[in-house]
Amino acid sequence: MMKKNYDTIIIGAGINGCAIAKEISQTNKSVLLIDKGSIGGGTSSKSSRLIHGGLRYLEQFNLSLVKESLHDRRYLIKNYPQLVKLVPFYIPIYKNTPRPWWIIKIGLSVYDLLSGYEAPHKNISIEEFKNIFPNINTKELCHVFKYFDGHTNDLELTKLIATQAQDSGVEILQDSKIKTLFIDDKKIILNINSNEINTNTLINASGAWIDEVNNHFSLPSNYSIAKVSGIHIVLPSLVVSEHLFLQTDAKRVFFMIPDNGKTIIGTTERVETVDIDNIKINQEEIAYLIKMSNKYLKKHISADDIAYSYIGTRSLIHAKENPTDMSREYKLDLHNIRNSKVLHIFGGKLTTFYSLSKKVVNLLK
Ligand SMILES: Cc1cc2nc3c(=O)[nH]c(=O)nc-3n(C[C@H](O)[C@H](O)[C@H](O)COP(=O)(O)OP(=O)(O)OC[C@H]3O[C@@H](n4cnc5c(N)ncnc54)[C@H](O)[C@@H]3O)c2cc1C
């Protein structure tokens, strides 16, 4: 049974919506969290499953994002040890790898510094690399670095945060749509599943759907997003037994990730201009990941070796750049409208949900 009034209503039960719901309910406020699909059914179950500072973001001099991510990584490993684990990652540098070894070395040294030397990187020998990765080419291999980052199960993590939110009183409505949304002088009035519900604080955490929600209900906002999809292919067995950080000729980064007896390889980037409920993986993207993987694999793979693939869409603050260079930072966009507040969550990685949710609570105080 839904109440007629909630202190806060949140749209979107992805990792961010669930974490915000949990934090707000712990301040003794009533919270309704609504999703048009299932908990974690959006991008929060389609990621690379890394809880990471984002070594690559150092190249964009995005130090504050990396620092916050590493802070959250530490928090998540400590508080969710069953789901977030610090694991070794290996970076092989070949004669023709686009970033030379010394650039990677500088990046890893800054990464160590920003993480408080939690698990500093090392050089490892080519012999050791050959032993750990018997399926990976070592011809023209010059250097190998080993560093540490977090690995998780994104959907299970999101579901766990949702359960914790429910335990602190949040009501969650799945498979539910908002039919109408009006803001009058006193409150925000929503029609959800034919029930009229009021609130004074609405949080739009609908991820890559945020612009559609804002346009549909004519909500004011200061940002818009670029919807950038990425795919992963999943091989049915372990091609690598540890995480591999690889580079394409065009300097893009991609990962080979061992995960529950399978190997996940990704990802790609494609800017969407259509409704993302209807996006599909195209064969060129699969061919691209196969081609990039085969540059490293001794035994080549083909489309027949893929068990399944999946696609998810990032919401990146809009900028007229190459999607690879767009910032992964998030923005909290608060609008005071008469007696009510509307807060939009633009962007945000899986890794940073904890800091993001704390900031939301502070902003709404
Ligand atoms: C390919 C790829 C790889 C990634 N890898 C990583 C990684 O390794 N590490 C990392 O930290 N981050 C990663 N990310 C980013 C991360 O996955 C996302 O930033 C994060 O999951 C976004 O969470 P969210 O809660 O904001 O959005 P979502 O999880 O998408 O949740 C939004 C929810 O809103 C709901 N919704 C939409 N419209 C409505 C509506 N009208 N009414 C009700 N509900 C609605 C949707 O159903 C959805 O459940 C990756 C992203 C992609 C695309």
Side-chain angles (χ1 to χ4, degrees), residues 291-322:
K291 187 173 165 203
M292 292 306 134
S293 303
N294 284 342
K295 283 189 185 269
Y296 292 94
L297 291 170
K298 282 185 184 161
K299 185 171 175 282
H300 284 188
I301 54 166
S302 71
D304 294 338
D305 297 311
I306 298 172
Y308 62 95
S309 40
Y310 61 89
I311 183 164
T313 309
R314 305 168 186 89
S315 63
L316 305 182
I317 309 286
H318 204 62
K320 290 189 189 84
E321 301 162 18
N322 178 330

Side-chain angles (χ1 to χ4, degrees), residues 96-120:
N96 295 322
T97 299
R99 290 173 188 84
W101 68 269
W102 55 269
I103 291 214
I104 303 282
K105 177 87 189 161
I106 293 172
L108 288 169
S109 304
V110 176
Y111 210 60
D112 289 345
L113 181 72
L114 293 176
S115 67
Y117 295 95
E118 201 179 354

Side-chain angles (χ1 to χ4, degrees), residues 68-80:
E68 182 176 80
S69 303
L70 289 170
H71 165 274
D72 283 11
R73 184 186 81 177
R74 194 174 316 121
Y75 172 86
L76 297 178
I77 289 168
K78 185 162 176 246
N79 289 281
Y80 300 97

Side-chain angles (χ1 to χ4, degrees), residues 10-18 34-52 57 150 154 158 173 176-178 204-210 212-213 217 228-232 255 257 267-268 276-277 310-315 328 345 347-352 356:
I10 302 170
I11 308 174
I15 192 78
N16 286 321
C18 293
I34 156 167
D35 202 291
K36 66 177 185 171
S38 57
I39 293 166
T43 312
S44 297
S45 54
K46 315 289 184 323
S47 79
S48 302
R49 306 183 171 186
L50 305 181
I51 297 296
H52 61 158
Y57 311 139
D154 48 6
T158 307
L173 281 182
S176 298
K177 282 212 163 155
I178 302 165
N204 181 4
S206 57
W209 289 265
I210 194 164
E212 271 93 342
V213 171
F217 297 117
V228 182
S229 295
I231 74 153
H232 290 85
F255 293 94
I257 300 167
T267 177
T268 54
I276 57 165
D277 284 325
Y310 61 89
I311 183 164
T313 309
R314 305 168 186 89
S315 63
R328 267 56 177 168
I345 314 297
K349 295 166 37 167
L350 187 74
T351 305
T352 48
L356 184 150

Side-chain angles (χ1 to χ4, degrees), residues 43 113 211 239 334:
T43 312
L113 181 72
D211 288 348
V239 171
L334 179 63

Side-chain angles (χ1 to χ4, degrees), residues 83-338:
L83 275 174
V84 185
K85 295 194 168 31
L86 199 64
V87 295
F89 283 65
Y90 292 81
I91 312 181
I93 312 287
Y94 296 81
K95 206 170 143 207
N96 295 322
T97 299
R99 290 173 188 84
W101 68 269
W102 55 269
I103 291 214
I104 303 282
K105 177 87 189 161
I106 293 172
L108 288 169
S109 304
V110 176
Y111 210 60
D112 289 345
L113 181 72
L114 293 176
S115 67
Y117 295 95
E118 201 179 354
H121 80 275
K122 293 182 183 131
N123 293 317
I124 70 151
S125 71
I126 290 171
E127 273 320 299
E128 194 180 338
F129 183 81
K130 279 182 180 168
N131 288 334
I132 303 169
F133 296 99
N135 298 326
I136 300 294
N137 276 324
T138 48
K139 197 170 163 231
E140 301 196 327
L141 181 63
C142 314
H143 281 84
V144 183
F145 293 108
K146 175 183 180 180
Y147 75 106
F148 291 83
D149 241 330
H151 180 98
T152 192
N153 179 319
D154 48 6
L155 179 59
E156 291 307 316
L157 185 62
T158 307
K159 284 183 177 169
L160 178 59
I161 306 294
T163 303
Q164 291 183 334
Q166 281 173 314
D167 289 346
S168 51
V170 174
E171 286 174 46
I172 304 184
L173 281 182
Q174 302 185 68
D175 299 312
S176 298
K177 282 212 163 155
I178 302 165
K179 205 163 160 200
T180 56
L181 191 163
F182 296 106
I183 306 178
D184 74 10
D185 285 345
K186 293 199 178 115
K187 55 195 177 312
I188 303 169
I189 309 148
L190 297 97
N191 186 305
I192 304 173
N193 299 346
S194 305
N195 296 299
E196 192 181 290
I197 304 170
N198 306 324
T199 188
N200 283 104
T201 305
L202 177 74
I203 300 177
N204 181 4
S206 57
W209 289 265
I210 194 164
D211 288 348
E212 271 93 342
V213 171
N214 289 340
N215 291 337
H216 191 76
F217 297 117
S218 305
L219 295 172
S221 68
N222 287 322
Y223 304 94
S224 64
I225 56 157
K227 295 179 277 190
V228 182
S229 295
I231 74 153
H232 290 85
I233 55 175
V234 182
L235 307 179
S237 58
L238 281 179
V239 171
V240 290
S241 57
E242 302 282 0
H243 292 59
L244 257 188
F245 177 115
L246 299 167
Q247 302 177 54
T248 69
D249 298 341
K251 268 182 125 178
R252 285 215 59 231
V253 163
F254 73 106
F255 293 94
M256 286 191 191
I257 300 167
D259 189 281
N260 267 325
K262 300 189 174 68
T263 307
I264 300 179
I265 303 176
T267 177
T268 54
E269 282 173 338
R270 179 178 94 195
V271 178
E272 303 296 349
T273 48
V274 294
D275 178 357
I276 57 165
D277 284 325
N278 298 318
I279 54 167
K280 299 221 163 38
I281 296 174
N282 64 42
Q283 290 312 309
E284 289 92 78
E285 287 168 312
I286 294 196
Y288 165 83
L289 283 182
I290 291 174
K291 187 173 165 203
M292 292 306 134
S293 303
N294 284 342
K295 283 189 185 269
Y296 292 94
L297 291 170
K298 282 185 184 161
K299 185 171 175 282
H300 284 188
I301 54 166
S302 71
D304 294 338
D305 297 311
I306 298 172
Y308 62 95
S309 40
Y310 61 89
I311 183 164
T313 309
R314 305 168 186 89
S315 63
L316 305 182
I317 309 286
H318 204 62
K320 290 189 189 84
E321 301 162 18
N322 178 330
T324 309
D325 299 330
M326 282 183 203
S327 171
R328 267 56 177 168
E329 257 169 337
Y330 56 83
K331 301 268 185 214
L332 306 181
D333 183 23
L334 179 63
H335 297 258
N336 289 299
I337 305 171
R338 296 182 281 277

